[in-house]
Amino acid sequence: MVKNISVFFCTECGCEVSGWMGKCPSCGAWNTLVSKTTVTGSTKSKKQADAPIFTTAQYAWTESNGTIPLSEATRTEYTRTSTGNDEINRILGGGLTDGSVVLVGGEPGIGKSTLLLQLADSFPLDKDILYVSGEESPAQIGMRAERLNVRNSKIMLCAETCFETIASELNRIKPALCIIDSIQTLYSENLSGTPGSLAQAREVTAGLIRLAKSNSLTVILVGHVTKDGSIAGPKTLEHMVDTVLYFEGDNMGNYRILRSIKNRFGRSNEIAFFEMCEHGLKPVDSASKLLLSGRPVNVSGSVLTSTLEGTKSLVIEIQALITDSPYGTAQRMTSGLDRNRVAMLLAICEKILKIPVSTKDVFINVIGGIKINDYACDLSVITAVVSSYKNIPAKQNSLILGEVGLTGELRPTTQISKRISEALSLGINTIILPGSCKKQIEEITNKKNQNNISKTTSLCDKISKCEFMYVDNLFEAIDVLFSDKG
């Protein structure tokens, strides 16, 4: 029996609910739910059978439909195509893999369309590219291409939002790369619901994935984000695609960060820095120099540490500000650090070092907008807090590393060689390390292991000129870092 029922969907993220709510249960936005009438019964079942996920079911997601033992599975060498940008190639694991689907998310105006148009321009000239835009007209894209000096004649524009029409164009043109800007604007005629709704986004994405796998077509999807920064629509989208990239940064600033959250063809958690110029985005050669540019010298509350982002080591600056609280409850503000982790470190400061942070407002910031989850930065956070509280600068030109336990002990740090090599390239000659890392340093400086640690013969020579200070607990660390300050 066919019935007409009313459902409500969020205009921000597309979440569908059976009744009206003041607040969207998915993205948390207020007064964004609007009513929509849908048809249930036999008619819906027929439409569902014609949905993209079913109409393209004749194509398998994988080449093998049978079940085989793991021992008989042979490795397949995937074909990769260079994007023409070394930083993007590194994040993707060597380039765009044929048949892969990449999801790119970011805030409005951050530069997603600019990045992908530049990527299409640097793509090999012997490969066709289809740029599908559901938000801009071809004339608007042409204006941007003129500003970015895009000259690739193989780029074809398609201003369509209907999945069936786009699939027909893909079969006709047979491009090597398809860019969808954005997935929330696409819809299928065989599904009920507005573009961007949960059902439409999920089913259309599934249809594009099947087309990509069956035709060795690389597809890049642009995804809108919600107020909390996550990609709008069902979380299933991130599970379905092969690679998820987030474009981060301040719209008013000049620098952007492209972060790999998931990658089935390479390492995840890789990052690349870009500078927004008049003619588009330009890769930044040395991210650490960029993050440390303009750093104040000999001031309290500022320290240097190192964090790992995939295979890349970054030297970053952490600043802390401790002030008397005018309120009954002290404030805790963090930027770039996990707030719960910072709360734990502040509790250690009060318990072990007897610093009364419970009555102080604490503000901690990672310069450059970097978000870090590396526990090796624990000691640097506590050092910055102590430095700001005492109004005494910490030891200058030093890199501080070490995970801090609840009893004040310092735990070892991983991948020391990468962190030290990056610090030495910036002229940092003093390294503060947990005592348990001394054996790792001795292995690096050992001539027997020199060729195994680094391909360059100059690393051990540089390390020999570096001053290492080993500490086992917070008391020793504070004594070493502030010993020359009286």
Side-chain angles (χ1 to χ4, degrees), residues 285-343:
D285 295 331
S286 177
S288 295
K289 289 183 180 180
L290 169 66
L291 295 173
L292 298 183
S293 60
R295 178 175 179 260
V297 180
N298 199 30
V299 296
S300 61
S302 174
V303 298
L304 296 180
T305 186
S306 174
T307 183
L308 292 175
E309 296 289 349
T311 59
K312 196 178 185 68
S313 174
L314 293 176
V315 176
I316 58 175
E317 178 188 1
I318 294 181
Q319 291 185 348
L321 177 64
I322 312 298
T323 61
D324 293 331
S325 178
Y327 308 103
T329 303
Q331 297 185 70
R332 300 287 184 265
M333 302 294 293
T334 63
S335 176
L337 288 163
D338 180 42
R339 187 171 181 177
N340 294 329
R341 186 74 182 179
V342 171

Side-chain angles (χ1 to χ4, degrees), residues 167-223:
S168 177
E169 287 297 300
L170 289 174
N171 290 328
R172 183 180 66 86
I173 300 175
K174 298 187 182 302
L177 172 65
C178 177
I179 299 174
I180 307 292
D181 188 7
S182 64
I183 188 61
Q184 277 81 14
T185 62
L186 266 58
Y187 73 96
S188 172
E189 294 178 340
N190 299 313
L191 283 176
S192 61
T194 59
S197 62
L198 296 181
Q200 289 282 5
R202 182 176 59 249
E203 302 299 333
V204 170
T205 301
L208 289 171
I209 291 176
R210 291 188 183 276
L211 290 174
K213 301 299 181 183
S214 61
N215 298 298
S216 296
L217 166 67
T218 302
V219 177
I220 300 179
L221 309 176
V222 176

Side-chain angles (χ1 to χ4, degrees), residues 149-165:
N149 295 323
V150 175
R151 295 291 182 265
N152 192 340
S153 60
K154 292 289 187 177
I155 301 177
M156 308 294 291
L157 298 180
C158 177
E160 285 288 346
T161 57
C162 178
F163 170 80
E164 286 74 19
T165 303

Side-chain angles (χ1 to χ4, degrees), residues 252-271:
M252 303 302 295
N254 293 330
Y255 299 104
R256 306 287 189 269
I257 301 172
L258 186 63
R259 185 185 301 272
S260 170
I261 304 299
K262 169 190 174 181
N263 191 356
R264 289 174 178 163
F265 301 102
R267 295 178 61 97
S268 59
N269 294 325
E270 294 280 3
I271 64 171

Side-chain angles (χ1 to χ4, degrees), residues 137 251 295 407:
S137 66
N251 292 354
R295 178 175 179 260
T407 61

Side-chain angles (χ1 to χ4, degrees), residues 64 66-76:
S64 176
T67 302
I68 62 173
L70 177 62
S71 58
E72 297 181 7
T74 57
R75 178 180 177 182
T76 301

